[in-house]
Amino acid sequence: MAIALLFQAIPEALVLQVGELDTAKKVWDAIRMRHIGAERVKEARLQTLMAEFDRLKMKDSENINDFVGKLSEISSKSHALGEEIEESKLVKMFLKSLPRRKFIHIVASLEQVLDLKNTSFEDIVGRLKAYEERVQEEEESQEDQSKLMYSNTEQQTNRDYHEEYKGSRGRGGRFNRGRGCGRGGRDTSRIMCFRCDKMGHYASTCSDRLLKLHEAQEHDKDSTQDADELMLNEVVYLNKEKVMPSKYEYNGEDNMWYLDNGACNHMTGDCRYFKRIDKEITGKVKFGDDSHIDIKGKGSIEFVDQNGETRTMCDVYYIPDLRSNIISLGQATEAGCDIRLKGECLTMHDQAGKLLVKATRSRNRLYKVGWG
């Protein structure tokens, strides 16, 4: 009877394999050994799937829908293999895998405003899709405007050239250059540069273009150095369009740091803070007020948190001409910190939940903290 019940419960193909066994125990042992092998295969597939999940990164050429499709596919396969990926883990992995250059600001904002442990995956995806569409519309609009301004500038340049050429011929020859001819005598107050979209100058005299030419000349000059020396140096160029140095108050206070969501990197102008610094890392940083300042190194600093413990903050740029000390909230969240805003108070905890920073919003809507 036991053998008959076993044969009724298993597939016909398996019945043919174990049909020659004469006792129920032998049949049961044969079935069990086959299923142990299947479990091991399933476990191996699950480990491979989880490794693929941990390595997954969204490419710059992908959009949110394509990347979410990959995450959903891995989640479905994992569920079919008996392993359920928690929604909070799926949300954190999704935010972590987004391209930093394009989504760092919205990701930092969501991590500060929302409780990711209780936020659904669909809600996060919807917010990121709305942000992506808004950015895409803005980029397309700027691109169309840039093309239009470039076309208009070319047409105006051609007209200027023909007028100058005709005028020079009328004054006695093609090589005669009268005063006031060409761009030198024109009113540029209503001219928009198609390179930087600012009024008052042509693209040929744009400060951004001149800066890049200067950087290219410096690079060409440095290229004559020995190959070994070039291998040791690292040159970086940072663009901080949302950082305005003038908004940070400077009243001579030591150990005062500003916590900024617009900055993408930690920065300080005081070399005394550094425990370790690599001065081979150089470059330039451009701020939102069009100022350009030299980078003279990068390293780590030590500070004392709210609990009196000594901590280390890594990847801090040394910019001697910067009068303020800036902590990037986005970079802090990448390091695993939990940053929350409630009322006029900002708190930062480490991965273990220990309080690192507690700051109160000042009158100019900045958060600052004194670190010894």
Side-chain angles (χ1 to χ4, degrees):
M1 183 179 295
I3 293 176
L5 291 174
L6 289 173
F7 285 171
Q8 290 179 4
I10 61 177
E12 182 177 355
L14 188 56
V15 172
L16 296 176
Q17 297 176 22
V18 299
E20 297 180 355
L21 302 177
D22 54 358
T23 65
K25 185 178 186 307
K26 293 180 179 179
V27 173
W28 177 259
D29 290 340
I31 296 173
R32 182 171 59 84
M33 291 301 297
R34 283 173 172 78
H35 279 279
I36 287 177
E39 287 294 330
R40 290 176 179 172
V41 172
K42 185 167 66 173
E43 183 178 353
R45 290 179 179 175
L46 187 60
Q47 290 178 355
T48 303
L49 198 64
M50 289 298 100
E52 181 183 353
F53 178 75
D54 293 335
R55 293 194 305 267
L56 196 62
K57 293 286 184 182
M58 178 176 170
K59 301 178 181 177
D60 291 334
S61 58
E62 289 182 314
N63 56 37
I64 294 295
N65 281 332
D66 295 338
F67 186 65
V68 169
K70 292 181 179 180
L71 279 177
S72 300
E73 181 181 0
I74 293 178
S75 178
S76 300
K77 290 181 178 179
S78 175
H79 179 72
L81 293 173
E83 183 72 20
E84 185 76 26
I85 300 179
E86 297 180 0
E87 192 165 25
S88 59
K89 182 178 180 181
L90 199 62
V91 168
K92 291 181 179 179
M93 184 60 188
F94 174 54
L95 295 178
K96 179 182 177 182
S97 303
L98 295 175
R100 181 175 180 270
R101 179 182 61 84
K102 186 175 181 180
F103 293 97
I104 180 61
H105 300 297
I106 183 64
V107 169
S109 300
L110 291 176
E111 289 177 340
Q112 294 175 32
V113 175
L114 301 178
D115 183 5
L116 299 182
K117 293 182 180 180
N118 299 320
T119 303
S120 66
F121 182 64
E122 290 77 11
D123 183 21
I124 293 293
V125 171
R127 293 173 186 266
L128 266 298
K129 287 177 64 177
Y131 175 80
E132 181 185 49
E133 293 175 0
R134 181 66 178 271
V135 171
Q136 186 175 0
E137 291 176 0
E138 188 70 20
E139 289 178 349
E140 291 176 353
S141 176
Q142 292 180 359
E143 183 179 356
D144 293 341
Q145 183 180 7
S146 176
K147 291 180 180 178
L148 178 61
M149 292 307 302
Y150 179 75
S151 177
N152 291 341
T153 305
E154 277 192 336
Q155 294 174 7
Q156 184 66 38
T157 303
N158 292 333
R159 285 197 296 268
D160 293 343
Y161 171 77
H162 289 301
E163 290 176 1
E164 180 183 354
Y165 179 73
K166 289 163 62 179
S168 64
R169 286 176 60 87
R171 285 190 292 273
R174 61 181 296 184
F175 297 106
N176 184 16
R177 291 290 182 266
R179 294 183 178 178
C181 295
R183 294 183 178 177
R186 294 182 56 84
D187 180 14
T188 60
S189 61
R190 302 180 65 182
I191 300 297
M192 176 181 287
C193 172
F194 68 84
R195 184 179 295 277
C196 66
D197 295 335
K198 294 180 180 179
M199 306 293 291
H201 62 273
Y202 290 92
S204 60
T205 60
C206 179
S207 60
D208 286 353
R209 176 178 176 272
L210 296 177
L211 174 64
K212 290 182 179 179
L213 287 175
H214 177 67
E215 292 172 352
Q217 292 172 357
E218 289 184 349
H219 178 71
D220 292 340
K221 181 174 65 177
D222 295 340
S223 64
T224 60
Q225 299 175 354
D226 295 334
D228 292 340
E229 184 178 355
L230 289 175
M231 290 297 290
L232 295 175
N233 294 333
E234 178 183 348
V235 182
V236 295
Y237 296 97
L238 306 179
N239 188 6
K240 306 296 181 183
E241 294 180 351
K242 295 187 177 181
V243 178
M244 307 291 291
S246 59
K247 76 177 182 178
Y248 302 104
E249 302 173 352
Y250 181 77
N251 51 12
E253 295 179 284
D254 292 333
N255 302 326
M256 186 59 64
W257 289 76
Y258 291 90
L259 294 89
D260 195 341
N261 190 36
C264 300
N265 301 94
H266 305 318
M267 297 174 283
T268 180
D270 194 340
C271 189
R272 296 175 301 173
Y273 288 116
F274 286 94
K275 178 183 178 182
R276 290 184 298 273
I277 184 170
D278 182 5
K279 292 190 175 181
E280 297 293 337
I281 299 177
T282 60
K284 290 184 179 295
V285 56
K286 177 183 177 182
F287 293 104
D289 58 358
D290 287 336
S291 61
H292 299 82
I293 303 178
D294 292 331
I295 298 171
K296 295 296 185 180
K298 180 181 178 183
S300 59
I301 67 173
E302 286 189 347
F303 65 94
V304 179
D305 63 14
Q306 299 290 329
N307 301 311
E309 298 181 8
T310 302
R311 301 282 187 149
T312 301
M313 182 164 58
C314 301
D315 297 331
V316 183
Y317 283 100
Y318 173 46
I319 306 174
D321 293 334
L322 185 66
R323 302 183 65 190
S324 305
N325 309 308
I326 302 174
I327 298 173
S328 167
L329 295 180
Q331 187 174 344
T333 56
E334 286 186 346
C337 295
D338 181 17
I339 300 173
R340 299 189 183 185
L341 292 169
K342 185 175 182 181
E344 297 184 352
C345 185
L346 181 148
T347 58
M348 180 191 300
H349 295 78
D350 63 7
Q351 295 179 339
K354 293 185 177 181
L355 180 63
L356 296 177
V357 177
K358 184 175 182 181
T360 304
R361 186 173 64 237
S362 59
R363 290 179 298 177
N364 56 358
R365 297 182 179 177
L366 291 175
Y367 293 92
K368 57 184 181 178
V369 61
W371 274 352

